[in-house]
Amino acid sequence: MKAFMKEFKEFISRGNVMDMAVGVIIGGAFTAIVTSLVNDVMMPVLSLLTGGFDFTSLCVVLGEGEGAATLNYGAFIAAVINFLLIAIVIFLLIKGINKFSRKKKDEPAPITKKTCPFCKEEIAIEASRCPHCTSQLTMED
């Protein structure tokens, strides 16, 4: 049992497990925000565009009487529309976030090394003598 607890402690204390846990928690909170945006902002606009049509009421009755089974394809259509709207909203949010978080292209790092013309070893740019072959270097080298 001690070995199991030790192994579990090592597993849970890994950085990637903690990162995943934080991601799941933030994802849950983000889902609530996106769902509210879709249900409270986007769906009313879609309802205006379709003339107030409610997809969720579409169904096919598979029998007769009060307890007849129904095939609620309208709920499926509404779920697909909801999914597509959520996907568009997430795409636009991530696109906006990426636009702001893009870093300017880094300037190339200054040259700090050069190659000795005699032994072909890499040396400091300011060197006047090669530390490998001890050759005297000129400024042109």
Side-chain angles (χ1 to χ4, degrees):
M1 187 66 169
K2 276 187 173 183
F4 175 78
M5 291 303 288
K6 181 181 177 190
E7 187 177 351
F8 180 71
K9 182 180 175 184
E10 288 174 9
F11 168 77
I12 203 71
S13 64
R14 287 186 190 156
N16 54 358
V17 172
M18 294 300 190
D19 292 343
M20 184 180 68
V22 169
V24 167
I25 292 167
I26 290 175
F30 187 71
T31 299
I33 293 169
V34 172
T35 302
S36 174
L37 179 64
V38 168
N39 291 336
D40 301 332
V41 176
M42 303 288 285
M43 287 303 261
V45 172
L46 183 64
S47 180
L48 281 174
L49 294 175
T50 60
F53 188 73
D54 182 19
F55 291 101
T56 57
S57 62
L58 298 175
C59 66
V60 173
V61 179
L62 303 174
E64 295 180 21
E66 225 177 272
T70 58
L71 182 64
N72 300 320
Y73 67 92
F76 176 74
I77 292 172
V80 169
I81 291 170
N82 195 22
F83 168 77
L84 292 174
L85 288 174
I86 288 173
I88 289 170
V89 168
I90 290 174
F91 171 74
L92 292 174
L93 285 173
I94 290 175
K95 187 175 178 178
I97 290 169
N98 286 342
K99 185 176 182 180
F100 285 117
S101 66
R102 280 193 191 121
K103 295 181 181 175
K104 294 179 182 175
K105 290 185 179 179
D106 293 325
E107 294 181 20
I111 298 172
T112 59
K113 302 273 184 185
K114 64 181 178 182
T115 303
C116 174
F118 302 104
C119 67
K120 306 298 182 204
E121 290 290 329
E122 196 172 81
I123 57 174
I125 194 87
E126 300 89 14
S128 59
R129 186 176 290 276
C130 177
H132 303 286
C133 68
T134 68
S135 297
Q136 186 72 35
L137 304 172
T138 61
M139 288 304 238
E140 294 85 36
D141 291 333

